[in-house]
Amino acid sequence: MKPDPAPSRRACRRVAAVVLLAAALPGHAQLGLPSLPSVPSVPNLPAPRLPPPAQVVPQLQRTPVPVADLVRVREQRIAEMLRQRSDLLEPDPAGQPLVRGELVLSSPSDTLLAAARGDGFTVVRERTLDALDMRLVTLRAPVGWKTARALQRLRQLDPQAAVDYNHLYLESGETAPLPQVSVARGAPAEAVKTTGAFKVGLIDAGVETDHPLLANASIRAWGCGGRKIPTAHGTAVASLLVGRGQHFRAAAPSATLYAADVYCADPIGGSIEAVAAALAWLIDEQVRVVNISLVGPANRTLQQVVQRAAARGVLLVAAVGNDGPAAAPLYPAAYPEVVAVTAVDARSRVLPEACRGPHVAFAAPGSEMAVAGFGAAPYASARGTSFASPLVAGVLAAAMRESGDASAKTVVAALARQAFDLGDPGRDAVYGHGLVARELRSDLTRLDANAR
């Protein structure tokens, strides 16, 4: 079934030279899943229905930004990080950020560690993650060695070892504040703070739990030694999962959100170690669906973390990223165990900056999105695949709850059958199985009208 009105397939595939930016800058995110077998429908998933396209509020439009500028956002951020913290960070051979001089090993053998110490490597951190049945060991390269040489040496010592750089995975989107739009007066009917009926996980930056859209949500936080270090990105993504407000629609407002902060205002935040520890905590808390709006390069240690989580029945959902249609796949989204989500605009057209590839599983709203603001602005406008991913994660978390003991593959396959096919017939590298969660796009027009 196609949306009505639907863009032509030719228009869906065409990368526009200029896009309307309803947010300050785009997000970046990613994850993927292979073709799924036909299985019975999951109970209580919404019946296929496509409402009319959302209207863009004229007062909230932004100056058009060239696509080339949109796809360079992550590259520019990496360059700035490396410039400011060259004492701690460096690029890998592909330009991706990593912690200078550090290598992370997943459950290394005693033989490998002994040989590494003999070469002058030192152990700087070690952590046992029982939930993943994994021991992470971080080594520092010998004095005078470049990090690339150190990695090559460890792989020579044990070619099968899960050893790689201590890569950093970046927050995958930006938001633009909407100071002229206020949170609606009068609490919505469901705005009574209670324990959520089911669980959904988030690995991201810190969440402002006192925000009006989140104040009545059930949220459990992890990381930063108990300190609260909220951010715009983490707060925005959290609001799309469990936010509550008049004229605002989240994917799973009745869920308890388990939010892991892997940044904590640390210059080496978002590392492999932090992501792995966060996922182990979520597994311990029996969270079955986890959203990850972070992106970065392929990494052997990350791959093992993802595989072990999936083997324990955890469904990982992530954004495909905003590095452009010609970019290489981003991770963890591109691992086959992950559900990769791309983003569409209010007319159901893929964002021209969104990554493409066979790993794309679903498309969801990801531009002109109303999200929880940060600081003085109650609302923000968001654009990017980062903000499509939590919508799919929330829908799948609700489906897992309704279907009892259904497997991750079962609920994903059921959602795939209910998706609205866009682009080429069947699953494709642009839209995956098709568009889902379109009814969850919060209407900026109604929000703006409330402010006047």
Side-chain angles (χ1 to χ4, degrees):
M1 178 176 180
K2 299 288 183 180
D4 185 18
S8 69
R9 288 180 180 147
R10 181 180 302 171
C12 288
R13 292 192 297 266
R14 185 171 58 237
V15 177
V18 178
V19 297
L20 176 65
L21 186 59
L25 290 171
H28 306 258
Q30 47 264 108
L31 297 173
L33 197 75
S35 298
L36 296 165
S38 176
V39 295
S41 296
V42 171
N44 296 330
L45 280 177
R49 180 176 64 86
L50 197 64
Q55 299 298 312
V56 179
V57 184
Q59 299 95 315
L60 302 182
Q61 292 181 0
R62 301 291 190 269
T63 303
V65 176
V67 173
D69 290 345
L70 294 174
V71 302
R72 279 200 297 263
V73 172
R74 195 170 69 93
E75 176 185 326
Q76 292 168 348
R77 183 181 174 192
I78 290 172
E80 183 64 13
M81 289 171 57
L82 296 174
R83 185 187 67 81
Q84 291 184 350
R85 298 310 306 259
S86 60
D87 57 326
L88 293 176
L89 306 176
E90 65 175 295
D92 72 6
Q96 301 297 321
L98 59 90
V99 181
R100 182 178 291 279
E102 290 191 357
L103 292 311
V104 181
L105 297 80
S106 170
S107 302
S109 67
D110 292 340
T111 300
L112 173 57
L113 289 179
R117 289 189 179 97
D119 277 351
F121 287 86
T122 56
V123 176
V124 292
R125 285 180 300 279
E126 186 169 347
R127 178 179 294 190
T128 299
L129 304 175
D130 291 331
L132 291 168
D133 191 23
M134 175 181 289
R135 180 171 60 112
L136 288 186
V137 179
T138 303
L139 300 181
R140 183 170 301 283
V143 175
W145 285 34
K146 292 185 177 180
T147 314
R149 176 190 173 191
L151 176 61
Q152 182 181 28
R153 176 55 179 162
L154 290 175
R155 288 181 174 174
Q156 287 174 343
L157 292 172
D158 186 351
Q160 303 305 314
V163 54
D164 215 324
Y165 297 115
N166 195 2
H167 279 122
L168 303 186
Y169 289 77
L170 304 184
E171 300 160 295
S172 55
E174 301 288 342
T175 61
L178 300 175
Q180 73 272 42
V181 180
S182 62
V183 173
R185 290 189 177 90
E190 75 276 16
V192 178
K193 191 164 189 175
T194 58
T195 300
F198 58 100
K199 301 175 181 179
V200 64
L202 174 63
I203 296 178
D204 209 288
V207 174
E208 179 50 80
T209 56
D210 294 331
H211 189 280
L213 291 181
L214 295 169
N216 292 303
S218 177
I219 301 177
R220 291 191 58 186
W222 174 91
C224 313
R227 293 174 298 150
K228 182 178 175 181
I229 308 177
T231 65
H233 187 271
T235 302
V237 175
S239 72
L240 292 170
L241 283 166
V242 298
R244 303 180 185 186
Q246 288 184 344
H247 313 315
F248 182 86
R249 305 190 67 182
S254 62
T256 293
L257 176 65
Y258 286 71
D261 185 349
V262 295
Y263 291 96
C264 303
D266 189 330
I268 61 172
S271 68
I272 288 290
E273 297 168 279
V275 172
L279 193 50
W281 171 68
L282 290 167
I283 293 172
D284 278 335
E285 295 294 338
Q286 300 182 339
V287 178
R288 299 181 66 189
V289 180
V290 178
N291 182 77
I292 308 176
S293 287
L294 312 178
V295 299
N299 181 285
R300 290 189 184 183
T301 304
L302 178 63
Q303 183 177 18
Q304 282 222 342
V305 168
V306 166
Q307 290 173 342
R308 294 187 180 211
R312 285 154 178 76
V314 177
L315 181 56
L316 301 178
V317 183
V320 297
N322 305 324
D323 282 14
L330 292 171
Y331 296 82
Y335 289 124
E337 296 82 7
V338 182
V339 177
V341 182
T342 191
V344 299
D345 63 19
R347 296 180 181 178
S348 301
R349 299 174 302 191
V350 70
L351 300 190
E353 69 269 25
C355 294
R356 317 289 167 86
H359 59 290
V360 178
F362 294 106
S367 76
E368 295 109 44
M369 296 283 289
V371 297
F374 191 68
Y379 284 102
S381 178
R383 178 190 181 96
T385 58
S386 262
F387 307 106
S389 179
L391 299 183
V392 176
V395 168
L396 289 171
M400 293 274 275
R401 175 226 182 175
E402 295 294 337
S403 58
D405 293 330
S407 69
K409 182 178 288 188
T410 298
V411 296
V412 173
L415 186 60
R417 290 208 318 274
Q418 297 186 31
F420 290 91
D421 191 18
L422 295 172
D424 292 334
R427 184 171 182 176
D428 61 66
V430 179
Y431 298 97
H433 295 290
L435 177 62
V436 299
R438 191 176 192 279
E439 71 279 3
L440 295 177
R441 180 193 300 277
S442 293
D443 191 336
L444 290 175
T445 303
R446 297 179 69 182
L447 294 176
D448 186 58
N450 174 73
R452 293 195 296 267

